[in-house]
């Protein structure tokens, strides 16, 4: 039986993701280590004597890359069967440069979410979030439904579930999903695994030790914290596609138009008590789609809690996508348009103004200019961090929302 087009597309994405992890070592040796060893070899004998330690340092770089590769090989050993991938990597779809780049950047994400090194970064938001949740939901937390879109490697969702809330993590990136699932479901003990997330960057180091520093993960015993409680679930897919309304959002790469998806969106209307967004709002090509989705999925009286900067991911992206209107009942498409991914970058004040005047939200609390890092090496001498916004909005019962 032939797979439908959507299933084939997902299968290809899964294979590309797995294959990128499989080729991480080759990619890094070629792109990161080899140019530097060639540079070293090109130096004059006199210059080599000025920094005689440099070749050993480059060998240490190679060893760190090898250790990261072992982490990814262990991940693949666990995930290939779970995701229904064939056992021969040579038959998997070929990853592109973006896929390969993600195998490098996600190591910083692992440190950000699952190491004690970045606990201070995480606590910038977690402390604010916990204060609000403790005041509003002192009891019966299992009955409170929380959605965390753009969940990444699911650490925030895990922390919310540890507080006793029924938490649903939503993520669209297969790189994030595979790594997050491996970390959470492999029975890892506290600090069991070591990775080297800073080895790929050669600038802004106070000393070489920090670039080669091992970071241990996870910083908690996840199975002991969550095992058997049934408080955490994960859903794969685009946030607007799964949780948004069937009106007001145009069909796009992140918002599809099958009868099956339209039914899922209808079922998800007014099902969550809280939506918690963390370093997420600026991932939108159209941030209004996110507002529509949050408004749709929240129950009347529910809360949207946000933390993060406004460093829009698509601001410099030259790519386009096809957008279109469609009939929410029949799926009939009209008004197709070639649309830039960049071009709608709203500010803190813009979003709160639109949310409180055009959407059914009232502002409970807001802050700005909260400094926070994001998976950065603590001794990176260039580290400026991000200026983050924090707000709590409540969906008002008094404002009508007729989205389906």
């Amino acid at each position: 039986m032939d797979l439908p087009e959507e299933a084939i597309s997902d299968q290809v994405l899964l294979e590309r993701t797995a294959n990128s992890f499989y080729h991480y070592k080759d990619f890094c040796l070629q792109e990161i280590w080899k140019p530097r060893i060639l540079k070293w070899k090109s130096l004059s004998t006199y210059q080599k004597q000025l920094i005689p330690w440099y070749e050993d340092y480059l060998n240490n770089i190679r060893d760190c890359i090898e250790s990261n590769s072992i982490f990814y090989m262990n991940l693949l050993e666990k995930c290939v069967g779970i995701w229904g991938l064939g056992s021969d990597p040579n038959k998997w779809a070929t990853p592109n440069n973006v896929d390969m780049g993600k195998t490098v950047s996600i190591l910083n994400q692992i440190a950000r979410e699952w190491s004690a090194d970045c606990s201070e970064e995480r606590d910038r938001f977690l402390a604010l979030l916990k204060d609000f949740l403790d005041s509003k939901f002192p009891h019966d937390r299992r009955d409170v439904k929380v959605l965390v879109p753009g969940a990444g490697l699911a650490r925030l969702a895990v922390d919310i579930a540890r507080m006793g809330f029924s938490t649903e993590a939503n993520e669209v990136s297969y790189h994030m999903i595979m790594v997050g699932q491996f970390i959470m479901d492999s029975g890892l003990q506290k600090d069991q695994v070591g990775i080297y997330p800073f080895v790929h960057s050669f600038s802004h180091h106070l000393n070489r030790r920090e670039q080669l520093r091992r970071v241990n993960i996870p910083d908690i015993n996840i199975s002991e914290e969550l095992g058997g409680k049934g408080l955490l679930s994960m859903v794969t897919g685009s946030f607007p596609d799964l949780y948004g309304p069937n009106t007001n959002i145009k069909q796009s790469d992140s918002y599809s138009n099958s009868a099956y998806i339209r039914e899922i969106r209808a079922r998800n209307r007014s099902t969550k008590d809280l939506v918690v967004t963390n370093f997420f709002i600026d991932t939108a090509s159209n941030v209004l789609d996110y507002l529509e989705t949050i408004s749709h999925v929240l129950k009347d009286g529910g809360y949207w809690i946000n933390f993060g900067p406004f460093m829009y991911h698509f601001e410099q992206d030259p790519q386009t996508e096809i957008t279109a209107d469609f009939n929410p009942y029949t799926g009939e498409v009209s008004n197709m348009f070639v649309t830039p991914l960049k071009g709608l970058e709203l500010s803190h004040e813009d979003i709160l103004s639109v949310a409180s005047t055009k959407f059914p939200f009232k502002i409970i609390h807001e802050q700005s200019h909260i400094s926070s890092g994001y998976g950065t090496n603590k001794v990176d001498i260039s580290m400026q961090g991000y200026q983050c916004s924090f707000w709590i909005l409540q969906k008002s019962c008094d404002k009508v929302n007729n989205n389906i």
Side-chain angles (χ1 to χ4, degrees):
M1 181 179 68
D2 291 336
L3 289 170
E5 183 176 345
E6 292 173 7
I8 293 173
S9 177
D10 282 344
Q11 182 71 14
V12 169
L13 288 173
L14 281 168
E15 289 180 0
R16 280 171 40 189
T17 300
N19 215 357
S20 68
F21 292 135
Y22 185 76
H23 284 100
Y24 160 84
K25 177 181 174 181
D26 294 339
F27 173 78
C28 286
L29 290 180
Q30 180 65 32
E31 299 296 325
I32 295 174
W33 180 78
K34 186 177 178 180
R36 288 167 176 83
I37 201 72
L38 290 175
K39 190 73 169 183
W40 162 256
K41 290 180 179 179
S42 76
L43 298 182
S44 67
T45 301
Y46 171 76
Q47 287 184 334
K48 286 181 179 177
Q49 292 172 348
L50 298 178
I51 49 172
W53 50 267
Y54 199 79
E55 187 173 19
D56 287 340
Y57 156 69
L58 292 179
N59 289 333
N60 289 334
I61 292 288
R62 183 187 58 203
D63 292 343
C64 292
I65 290 171
E66 174 70 33
S67 294
N68 288 340
S69 179
I70 291 171
F71 170 77
Y72 282 144
M73 291 300 110
N74 290 335
L75 177 154
L76 289 174
E77 184 178 349
K78 291 281 187 180
C79 292
V80 165
I82 294 173
W83 288 97
L85 299 172
S87 59
D88 184 359
N90 294 316
K91 296 181 180 179
W92 295 344
T94 303
N96 58 30
N97 286 335
V98 173
D99 296 323
M100 296 311 306
K102 288 178 180 178
T103 67
V104 171
S105 63
I106 205 168
L107 289 163
N108 290 78
Q109 187 75 22
I110 295 169
R112 154 74 181 182
E113 297 199 37
W114 289 107
S115 76
D117 296 56
C118 293
S119 61
E120 183 178 341
E121 288 181 5
R122 296 192 300 270
D123 286 346
R124 290 296 176 95
F125 178 37
L126 195 62
L128 296 169
L129 177 63
K130 188 175 185 301
D131 284 347
F132 175 75
L133 296 179
D134 286 347
S135 67
K136 284 293 179 181
F137 304 99
H139 309 294
D140 302 320
R141 291 183 165 186
R142 177 177 284 274
D143 297 327
V144 179
K145 308 299 183 185
V146 183
L147 176 63
V148 183
L153 303 178
R155 177 54 185 266
L156 177 60
V158 167
D159 285 338
I160 295 172
R162 290 167 71 196
M163 298 180 203
F165 296 93
S166 294
T167 308
E168 185 169 303
N170 164 237
E171 177 56 53
V172 70
S173 164
Y174 280 125
H175 283 82
M176 294 287 189
I177 294 163
M178 277 192 181
V179 175
Q181 183 180 53
F182 173 67
I183 292 172
M184 290 189 293
D185 295 345
S186 297
L188 298 179
Q189 300 299 304
K190 181 179 178 181
D191 294 333
Q192 179 178 339
V193 176
I195 60 171
Y196 298 86
F198 311 120
V199 70
H200 316 93
S201 174
F202 292 82
S203 298
H204 307 302
H205 292 297
L206 189 63
N207 57 62
R208 296 298 171 188
R209 292 188 304 277
E210 290 303 321
Q211 183 190 13
L212 301 173
R213 181 162 58 89
R214 171 183 167 126
V215 172
N216 293 324
I217 61 154
D219 63 322
I220 60 172
N221 190 317
I222 304 166
S223 58
E224 287 184 4
E225 294 279 350
L226 294 180
K229 297 178 183 178
L231 291 173
L232 180 65
S233 61
M234 296 192 69
V235 177
T236 304
S238 160
F239 176 51
D241 203 31
L242 296 177
Y243 300 98
N246 283 317
T247 58
N248 300 337
I249 300 179
K250 290 198 170 190
Q251 180 178 318
S252 68
D253 290 347
S254 60
Y255 185 81
S256 59
N257 173 28
S258 68
Y260 173 70
I261 289 294
R262 294 198 304 272
E263 176 61 27
I264 288 176
R265 288 197 287 257
R267 290 202 305 265
N268 277 329
R269 181 183 182 185
S270 301
T271 55
K272 306 302 179 186
D273 298 287
L274 295 107
V275 173
V276 181
T277 53
N278 181 34
F279 277 79
F280 177 67
I281 291 300
D282 57 358
T283 66
S285 173
N286 181 349
V287 70
L288 296 176
D289 289 352
Y290 282 7
L291 268 67
E292 293 277 5
T293 302
I294 294 167
S295 176
H296 180 259
V297 76
L298 273 177
K299 299 176 183 178
D300 289 342
Y303 295 94
W304 172 23
I305 306 172
N306 175 72
F307 183 87
F310 289 89
M311 194 179 75
Y312 281 97
H313 290 204
F314 293 101
E315 182 179 356
Q316 304 298 330
D317 197 318
Q319 298 181 87
T320 61
E321 63 177 344
I322 302 297
T323 61
D325 296 320
F326 67 89
N327 185 303
Y329 300 101
T330 67
E332 182 180 357
V333 174
S334 61
N335 300 325
M336 297 180 68
F337 192 79
V338 179
T339 304
L341 292 179
K342 62 183 175 183
L344 191 65
E345 296 86 22
L346 302 187
S347 70
H348 170 116
E349 290 184 356
D350 294 334
I351 290 179
L352 291 186
S353 175
V354 171
S356 60
T357 61
K358 306 299 183 181
F359 288 88
F361 289 107
K362 59 182 178 181
I363 300 171
I364 304 299
H365 177 78
E366 65 166 305
Q367 287 177 243
S368 61
H369 299 95
I370 303 171
S371 296
S372 176
Y374 196 90
T376 47
N377 194 337
K378 289 181 180 178
V379 294
D380 182 337
I381 58 177
S382 75
M383 190 181 73
Q384 301 297 318
Y386 297 92
Q387 292 301 305
C388 297
S389 295
F390 169 65
W391 64 64
I392 302 169
L393 306 187
Q394 185 175 26
K395 184 177 175 181
S396 174
C397 305
D398 301 328
K399 296 184 179 180
V400 177
N401 184 0
N402 293 319
N403 290 343
I404 60 175

